[in-house]
Amino acid sequence: MGSLTFAFEQSHLSGRIICLVLFAGSIWAWSIMITKLRDLARAARQSREFLAAYRKESHPVSLYLKRQRFTATPLYVVYDHTCKTLGGMLESRGADPAELFMGGVGSTMRRLGEIQVSALRNVAQRTMTDLAMLLEDNMSFLATAVTAAPFLGLLGTVWGVMVAFGNIAGSGSAMLSEVAPGISGALLTTVVGLLVALPSSIGYNMIAGRIRRLRVMMDNFSQEFISDIERHFLRDLGNAEN
């Protein structure tokens, strides 16, 4: 720390500004990484709990009708939006959504055609796309920190070295004791840039992997949920046609 403090004191004004900018970016990057890793860990845990609860029920909309909520997982958001759309479709046909799974499912009012099921599938897909964008919120800043921080540090170093050599030319002295402080201050920006980029790179890869797993879970659940809806709301329609 003493060496870093000495190097900062010997830095040119431009180098100090770049170090402060990188320091502020590091604080912001760490806050993003800590927040997203915490939220993604909670989302993954509740996703497993939601899938376990969903698969225990005999009817695909039971959790929705029982008002069991899992607000931390994007899977529940897909489920909730699709169930609301399904309820609206059935209400428009005169059915009571509160009695969907309590007998009389084969009623004409409670049947869905391929067009309605396709519409539900589209709702699930749109919701998944919106949630994927929310999951990736602020990821662009981490990617920018990974790529830009080393170059910004290199800019500060080159600038500082240029200033140091300019001072040498102005003073007419090339002694090491005259050059070393300026070079030390110039190299500080590269060190700070790497200290920002390395944790951001590791955090970005960890977060991206967890987001990818959540997106796969959303996609798999969406297909499972739509298949369950087809079994419960298209099966009787097929039997009636036969």
Side-chain angles (χ1 to χ4, degrees):
M1 290 300 297
S3 299
L4 293 176
T5 302
F6 174 78
F8 183 79
E9 292 174 349
Q10 299 301 318
S11 296
H12 187 261
L13 177 61
S14 60
R16 294 182 183 182
I17 293 174
I18 290 175
C19 285
L20 293 174
V21 170
L22 289 171
F23 182 71
S26 177
I27 294 176
W28 181 240
W30 274 103
S31 66
I32 291 173
M33 288 187 290
I34 293 172
T35 301
K36 291 195 76 69
L37 286 172
R38 181 192 61 200
D39 292 344
L40 289 171
R42 185 183 175 200
R45 183 177 64 254
Q46 276 212 2
S47 294
R48 292 189 293 270
E49 294 173 356
F50 169 73
L51 286 174
Y54 173 80
R55 289 165 180 166
K56 286 180 181 178
E57 301 292 339
S58 59
H59 195 279
V61 298
S62 295
L63 291 179
Y64 177 76
L65 297 174
K66 293 178 180 178
R67 302 186 184 279
Q68 295 188 25
R69 304 181 63 84
F70 299 81
T71 55
T73 169
L75 275 66
Y76 175 79
V77 179
V78 174
Y79 175 78
D80 184 62
H81 286 194
T82 308
C83 285
K84 287 179 179 177
T85 304
L86 172 62
M89 289 179 178
L90 296 171
E91 281 184 322
S92 67
R93 305 180 66 158
D96 183 3
E99 299 176 354
L100 287 177
F101 65 105
M102 299 176 62
V105 178
S107 169
T108 303
M109 294 186 299
R110 296 181 176 87
R111 295 174 187 163
L112 292 178
E114 289 291 344
I115 295 177
Q116 287 80 16
V117 173
S118 178
L120 292 174
R121 186 178 290 109
N122 291 336
V123 169
Q125 290 293 331
R126 287 196 304 270
T127 305
M128 287 170 52
T129 302
D130 293 340
L131 290 171
M133 294 179 63
L134 289 176
L135 288 173
E136 294 177 359
D137 189 33
N138 290 325
M139 291 294 287
S140 59
F141 179 84
L142 287 182
T144 302
V146 172
T147 56
F151 289 103
L152 190 58
L154 181 60
L155 172 63
T157 295
V158 173
W159 198 333
V161 170
M162 183 175 63
V163 171
F165 279 107
N167 293 335
I168 292 173
S171 64
S173 174
M175 294 179 60
L176 183 61
S177 59
E178 296 289 336
V179 179
I183 300 298
S184 174
L187 292 173
L188 176 65
T189 56
T190 296
V191 173
V192 176
L194 292 175
L195 290 176
V196 174
L198 289 175
S200 298
S201 177
I202 296 172
Y204 179 88
N205 290 329
M206 291 177 60
I207 293 170
R210 297 191 181 191
I211 290 175
R212 189 161 48 248
R213 285 193 290 271
L214 273 176
R215 293 183 66 172
V216 171
M217 291 178 70
M218 279 195 294
D219 186 59
N220 292 339
F221 169 72
S222 174
Q223 296 182 32
E224 178 183 352
F225 182 42
I226 296 299
S227 297
D228 290 341
I229 289 177
E230 289 177 340
R231 282 200 306 271
H232 282 81
F233 295 99
L234 290 180
R235 179 184 56 192
D236 290 337
L237 180 59
N239 292 339
E241 291 174 350
N242 293 334

